[in-house]
């Protein structure tokens, strides 16, 4: 029996795309393994959002060299995804790691099948197409039960000045509403309990179609029969609208959880980033959300060290974080990406970036812990998602607002809803005891 291993890096898009890679490989008769030594193909599904992601991937590919030299054709190595899509990257990868067998881009996963079937010396195909076609024929082997990821769109048109995604993923393309709805019906029929709609900017869904907007999709799915949860990511403050807030507020099955990346609290930096909203507009959205969905978990991506960020701009980020009180935030140090406008600006010294990220992380940890403590004594519904290997006989699930809760239990609980009394907290996670089953 032929076996595959997939190493996934990057965002949820990539996690879902690895399910498509698994779909293609299982159609070819491969089964999954976690062990390099028994894998007949190892696929690296790569990310290039920051320099450290790329360096880690390079290190991991390089580490396979001795095994590859020994096993030769018995262990194929394929590199796919965003990293290969950068200008000159496929060539550079092949010359640094000549033992790679297959290199594909981020938008032509379907070529993995012909690549394997027709492999001679090596197969390299990274098309540079502005608007690649949407492929609806790629099989999916879902690995995230009870959650099913569903793309509603691909690519990005926003060209934030720091970001590589529009260059490697191409222009925005929305899937047809009927294809999305069919997928949702199918996974609900299969017993999935949580749907997460994916797009780099879900609020601009449909702008390239004749009809269909994001709010239509949300309300149509929310009306479907059965007990399940609906999530989505990522929202962009420039396009986020009150209609979406109203739909979340009025539908019980849409989670009270909005990921609304701010990036910076300084209007000047936001302008330099080409984010097309300012601090005031962002804070207005937050107060609209809070007034209509009082217990909404709002999360964010925040960056420090953008080239034009002064101490004062950074203070604006600190004060925004203090004001918004995110339930959780992903914090990043700006990393120059070749070919993007910000990479051509004068860069800040490393020590300035380091001092800022430390301060920001400490602040967000403090806020996350304070928010966690507010849950103690409350009863919340969770959907159990997985075992929690860090604790004996424990499983974990999330509240509607997106907070992780660990309770005593076993794998038979995965995919079920429970009412849980929160008894203690640690940073952003909670611990509780089951009080009822749904
Ligand atoms: N489409 C989403 C985010 C996609 S990338 C959005 O617009 O919010 C995820 C996060 O990575 C971004 O929100 C940003 O905070 C971070 N990021 C993107 N480019 C980066 C860079 N060059 N350096 C550091 N962080 C970056
Ligand atoms: Fe990158 Fe901006 Fe597009 Fe998000 S919206 S993927 S940060 S260019
Ligand atoms: Fe995602 Fe990384 Fe690509 S964040 S879209 S996998 S560059």
């Amino acid at each position: 029996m032929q076996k595959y291993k997939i190493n996934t890096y990057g965002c949820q898009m990539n996690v879902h795309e690895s399910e498509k890679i698994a779909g293609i490989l299982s159609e070819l008769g491969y089964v999954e393994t976690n062990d390099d030594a028994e894998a007949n193909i190892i696929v690296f599904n790569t990310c290039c959002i920051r320099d450290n992601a790329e360096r880690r991937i390079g290190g991991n590919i390089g580490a396979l060299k001795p095994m590859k030299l020994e096993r030769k054709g018995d262990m194929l190595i394929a590199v796919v995804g965003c990293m290969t899509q950068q200008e000159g990257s496929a060539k550079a990868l092949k010359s640094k790691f000549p033992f790679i067998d297959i290199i594909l881009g981020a938008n032509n996963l379907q070529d993995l099948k012909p690549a394997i079937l027709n492999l001679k010396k090596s197969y390299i195909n990274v098309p540079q197409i502005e608007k690649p076609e949407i492929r609806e024929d790629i099989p999916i082997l879902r690995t995230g039960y009870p959650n099913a990821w569903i793309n509603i769109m691909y690519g990005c048109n926003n060209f934030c000045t720091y970001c590589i995604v529009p260059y490697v993923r191409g222009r925005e393309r929305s899937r047809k509403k009927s294809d999305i709805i069919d997928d949702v019906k199918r996974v609900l029929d299969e017993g999935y309990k949580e749907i997460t709609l994916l797009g780099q900017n879900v609020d601009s869904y449909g702008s390239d179609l004749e009809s269909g907007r994001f709010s239509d999709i949300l309300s149509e799915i929310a009306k479907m029969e059965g007990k399940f949860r609906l999530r989505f990511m990522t929202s962009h403050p420039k396009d986020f609208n009150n209609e979406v807030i109203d739909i979340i507020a009025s539908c019980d099955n849409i989670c009270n959880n909005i990921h609304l990346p701010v990036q910076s609290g300084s209007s000047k930096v936001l302008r330099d980033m080409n984010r097309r909203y300012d601090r005031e507009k962002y804070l207005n959205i937050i107060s609209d959300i809070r007034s209509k969905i009082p217990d909404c978990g709002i999360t964010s991506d925040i960056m420090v060290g953008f080239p034009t960020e002064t101490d004062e701009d950074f203070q604006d980020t600190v004060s925004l974080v203090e004001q918004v009180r995110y339930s959780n935030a992903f914090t990043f140090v700006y990393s120059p990406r070749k070919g993007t406008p910000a990479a051509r600006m004068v860069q800040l010294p490393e020590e300035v970036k380091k001092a800022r990220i430390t301060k920001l992380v400490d602040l967000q940890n403090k806020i996350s812990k304070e928010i966690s403590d507010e849950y103690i004594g409350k009863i919340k519904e969770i959907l159990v998602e997985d075992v929690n290997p860090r604790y004996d006989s424990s499983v974990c699930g999330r509240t509607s607002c997106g907070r992780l809760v660990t309770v005593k239990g076993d794998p038979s609980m995965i995919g079920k809803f429970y009412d849980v009394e929160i008894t203690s907290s640690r940073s952003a996670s909670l611990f509780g005891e089951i009080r009822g089953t749904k």
Side-chain angles (χ1 to χ4, degrees):
M1 179 100 57
Q2 297 280 90
K3 296 189 176 169
Y4 71 83
K5 181 169 178 232
I6 305 174
N7 297 328
T8 307
Y9 305 84
C11 62
Q12 311 303 347
M13 294 269 175
N14 257 21
V15 172
H16 181 41
E17 251 137 46
S18 286
E19 298 183 325
K20 298 181 186 173
I21 297 169
I24 295 170
L25 291 171
S26 66
E27 264 197 7
L28 289 172
Y30 286 82
V31 294
E32 195 187 12
T33 174
N34 282 324
D35 184 359
D36 290 342
E38 54 170 41
N40 303 99
I41 181 165
I42 299 184
V43 183
F44 287 85
N45 187 13
T46 62
C47 170
C48 55
I49 198 84
R50 284 169 288 276
D51 184 49
N52 53 9
E54 286 204 275
R55 266 186 287 140
R56 190 156 61 97
I57 297 165
N60 294 351
I61 298 174
L64 284 178
K65 187 177 174 184
M67 196 185 283
K68 172 69 183 171
L69 294 183
E70 202 183 302
R71 293 182 57 201
K72 302 197 176 70
D74 185 43
M75 180 177 83
L76 299 182
I77 296 182
V79 184
V80 307
C82 293
M83 190 171 139
T84 67
Q85 202 74 49
Q86 299 169 98
E87 223 185 298
S89 166
K91 222 171 139 195
L93 272 168
K94 187 68 187 163
S95 71
K96 194 164 179 200
F97 308 111
F99 55 87
I100 296 176
D101 298 286
I102 296 168
I103 301 181
L104 300 175
N107 303 309
N108 62 323
L109 286 180
Q110 67 279 2
D111 291 337
L112 187 59
K113 184 173 169 179
I116 294 172
L117 295 178
N118 304 322
L119 190 66
K120 292 198 179 80
K121 256 189 127 181
S122 61
Y123 188 108
I124 300 176
N125 183 15
V126 184
Q128 295 290 342
I129 305 170
E130 274 266 297
K131 210 166 176 173
E133 63 168 331
I134 294 181
R135 298 288 297 233
E136 294 294 351
D137 55 346
I138 303 181
I140 299 173
L141 185 74
R142 296 191 180 275
T143 51
Y145 181 84
N147 177 66
W149 306 104
I150 294 183
N151 281 111
I152 62 167
M153 61 208 296
Y154 300 92
C156 181
N157 286 352
N158 293 316
F159 290 96
C160 301
T161 56
Y162 50 81
C163 184
I164 194 79
V165 172
Y167 303 86
V168 295
R169 287 282 180 171
R171 292 300 67 69
E172 207 169 274
R173 291 90 79 198
S174 304
R175 289 182 70 199
K176 275 202 306 224
K177 188 171 135 203
S178 55
D179 287 329
I180 298 168
I181 298 296
D182 285 351
D183 272 2
V184 173
K185 284 186 183 146
R186 185 172 322 117
V187 296
L188 289 177
D189 279 349
E190 286 169 5
Y192 285 84
K193 300 294 177 203
E194 185 178 74
I195 310 272
T196 306
L197 304 176
L198 291 177
Q200 291 296 356
N201 177 1
V202 291
D203 305 290
S204 71
Y205 170 82
S207 56
D208 56 334
L209 299 177
E210 286 192 352
S211 65
R213 286 173 315 148
F214 181 53
S215 47
D216 302 337
I217 295 196
L218 279 184
S219 44
E220 194 160 333
I221 299 175
K223 277 191 225 125
M224 290 183 185
E225 297 263 312
K227 184 162 174 60
F228 67 93
R229 285 177 167 182
L230 181 56
R231 297 183 183 275
F232 55 89
M233 68 188 305
T234 299
S235 303
H236 194 305
K238 88 178 161 66
D239 298 310
F240 191 78
N241 60 61
N242 277 342
E243 217 177 327
V244 169
I245 304 180
D246 292 336
I247 293 172
I248 301 174
S250 63
C251 300
D252 279 351
N253 50 6
I254 305 183
C255 290
N256 289 352
N257 190 185
I258 300 175
H259 184 59
L260 192 67
V262 69
Q263 313 298 356
S264 167
S266 150
S267 293
K268 182 203 88 193
V269 172
L270 288 171
R271 195 191 57 226
D272 295 347
M273 289 176 163
N274 191 31
R275 289 290 289 180
R276 286 177 273 178
Y277 55 86
D278 59 13
R279 177 187 174 98
E280 194 188 348
K281 169 163 182 185
Y282 186 88
L283 289 173
N284 283 339
I285 299 175
I286 298 293
S287 55
D288 287 343
I289 297 173
R290 297 259 191 249
S291 67
K292 290 183 174 158
I293 319 170
D295 61 343
C296 191
I298 304 176
T299 56
S300 194
D301 294 347
I302 312 168
M303 201 187 295
V304 302
F306 186 81
T308 61
E309 184 186 72
T310 61
D311 279 336
E312 211 180 347
D313 295 318
F314 174 65
Q315 276 315 314
D316 286 344
T317 298
V318 168
S319 71
L320 181 132
V321 169
E322 282 167 341
Q323 191 173 335
V324 176
R325 295 181 62 79
Y326 291 112
S327 62
N328 223 335
F330 299 101
T331 49
F332 305 109
V333 175
Y334 165 73
S335 158
R337 302 285 69 204
K338 214 167 134 214
T340 61
R344 295 190 285 271
M345 300 175 184
V346 179
Q347 304 295 317
L348 292 178
E350 284 308 314
E351 60 274 17
V352 169
K353 298 190 199 177
K354 216 178 245 170
R356 289 181 188 164
I357 193 76
T358 309
K359 195 162 171 204
L360 183 63
V361 167
D362 287 349
L363 172 62
Q364 182 55 47
N365 284 347
K366 181 175 136 270
I367 295 170
S368 294
K369 170 75 175 138
E370 285 166 5
I371 293 180
S372 288
D373 288 347
E374 290 165 14
Y375 280 85
I376 294 175
K378 291 188 180 156
I379 303 228
K380 292 280 167 192
E381 183 189 80
I382 67 163
L383 168 62
V384 173
E385 292 170 16
D386 210 345
V387 294
N388 187 342
R390 287 216 235 155
Y391 306 96
D392 281 347
S393 326
S394 290
V395 291
C396 54
R398 276 180 299 163
T399 64
S400 163
C401 323
R403 243 175 166 64
L404 206 66
V405 185
T406 296
V407 293
K408 283 270 171 242
D410 62 66
S412 70
M413 294 162 66
I414 295 172
K416 298 193 180 116
F417 292 90
Y418 295 91
D419 281 330
V420 167
E421 183 177 340
I422 309 301
T423 50
S424 65
S425 81
R426 179 180 296 173
S427 182
S429 16
L430 304 172
F431 298 83
E433 283 165 22
I434 292 175
R435 294 289 177 249
T437 315
K438 296 276 160 153

